Amino acid sequence: MPLLVALAFVVVGVVVLCAVLAPWIAPYDPSLQRLDVGVSLPSSDLILGTDTLGRDILSRTIHGASTALVGPMVIAAGAFAIATILGLLAGYLGGWIDTLIMRWVDFMHGLPSTLIVIVVVGVIGGGYWVAVAVLLIAFVPSDTRIVRSAVLEQRPRPYIEAARSLGISKPRILLVHIIPNILPIIVAYIAIDFAFALVNLAGLSFLGLGVEPGTADWGRMLSENRNLLLGGNPLGTLVPASAMILTAISMNLIGDWLFEEFIG
């Protein structure tokens, strides 16, 4: 395993630990406001300092790992779950089913997806899980193309022809023969989708369309603390931004490595 990929696994592991153990390892309540303290620079008690409301940046960053993991993973895994069904049907059955599914995919690709997501989430009223649901749907078309291409590559292979000649049913061929052979591709692209979902979800939170105000979330912290970047405590912006960038890059590296290791 390359050193860079090993470091990527370490970064993701640390983020997972932060998300799981946040209530026990965060030094302070992430929502605790100390208006008498206000903005403060790092000190022995407050390692990363505080934001404009006197909230501990380190604690909020640790707790923000939860929304940075759960939502993107739901988006990536959920989108591929739907895309796997559509891709299997389109790639293996072909005919009018393939035409219908792929015309829908082409239609969705023709829309400005980022703008559509912002408009839909804004009209519905925002909220973390609303943003997750809308982004999940937006990810399905591109994932469907990936799965369909993988199925088309497997369909003419001898082991599939042998299964057909033995009279094995189509559902069994899909479940027992094709899915296990395209699973490495799905897993690799889920890791890559996770990175894109993390950035998109944080972007919606930055615009006020994701998590509720005051929630410990990396994207929300960027929005709330952006005025501190050039004065006050710049760590309020730099720390969550760095955490988001490192996590996204690490998941991309892991996804690329999985693809090259098992597919390439």
Side-chain angles (χ1 to χ4, degrees), residues 143-229:
D143 292 347
T144 300
R145 283 185 181 275
I146 293 169
V147 176
R148 176 179 178 271
S149 297
V151 173
L152 288 174
E153 195 272 334
Q154 294 291 323
R155 190 172 67 176
R157 293 200 171 188
Y159 78 95
I160 297 296
E161 295 296 334
R164 287 176 184 157
S165 65
L166 292 174
I168 297 177
S169 65
K170 291 179 180 178
R172 183 173 176 81
I173 291 175
L174 291 173
L175 294 174
V176 178
H177 298 283
I178 292 183
I179 288 183
N181 283 284
I182 67 172
L183 189 60
I185 296 177
I186 294 175
V187 172
Y189 274 100
I190 283 178
I192 296 173
D193 266 11
F194 176 95
F196 286 105
L198 171 60
V199 174
N200 279 275
L201 197 55
L204 289 175
S205 293
F206 180 85
L207 296 173
L209 300 174
V211 298
E212 297 297 324
T215 304
D217 175 83
W218 294 346
R220 192 74 193 185
M221 289 177 68
L222 289 176
S223 176
E224 293 173 344
N225 301 329
R226 63 185 184 275
N227 293 329
L228 301 178
L229 186 60

Side-chain angles (χ1 to χ4, degrees), residues 115-132:
L115 180 60
I116 295 297
V117 169
I118 292 174
V119 170
V120 172
V121 174
V123 170
I124 293 177
Y128 182 72
W129 289 108
V130 172
V132 167

Side-chain angles (χ1 to χ4, degrees), residues 8-118:
F9 273 105
V10 171
V11 170
V12 173
V14 170
V15 175
V16 171
L17 287 177
C18 287
V20 175
L21 303 177
W24 296 277
I25 64 177
Y28 299 99
D29 182 344
S31 300
L32 177 63
Q33 299 182 13
R34 287 168 291 189
L35 300 180
D36 57 320
V37 175
V39 181
S40 67
L41 293 172
S43 64
S44 57
D45 294 330
L46 302 164
I47 299 176
L48 298 178
T50 59
D51 60 14
T52 53
L53 297 177
R55 297 173 298 189
D56 181 44
I57 292 171
L58 176 59
S59 299
R60 291 180 63 76
T61 303
I62 292 174
H63 278 270
S66 178
T67 56
L69 283 179
V70 176
M73 186 53 67
V74 170
I75 293 169
F80 256 105
I82 298 172
T84 297
I85 297 173
L86 296 176
L88 285 171
L89 293 175
Y92 188 78
L93 299 181
W96 66 269
I97 295 179
D98 181 31
T99 300
L100 183 63
I101 293 174
M102 295 315 296
R103 293 299 75 76
W104 173 77
V105 169
D106 292 339
F107 171 76
M108 293 296 290
H109 272 296
L111 298 175
S113 57
T114 302
L115 180 60
I116 295 297
V117 169
I118 292 174

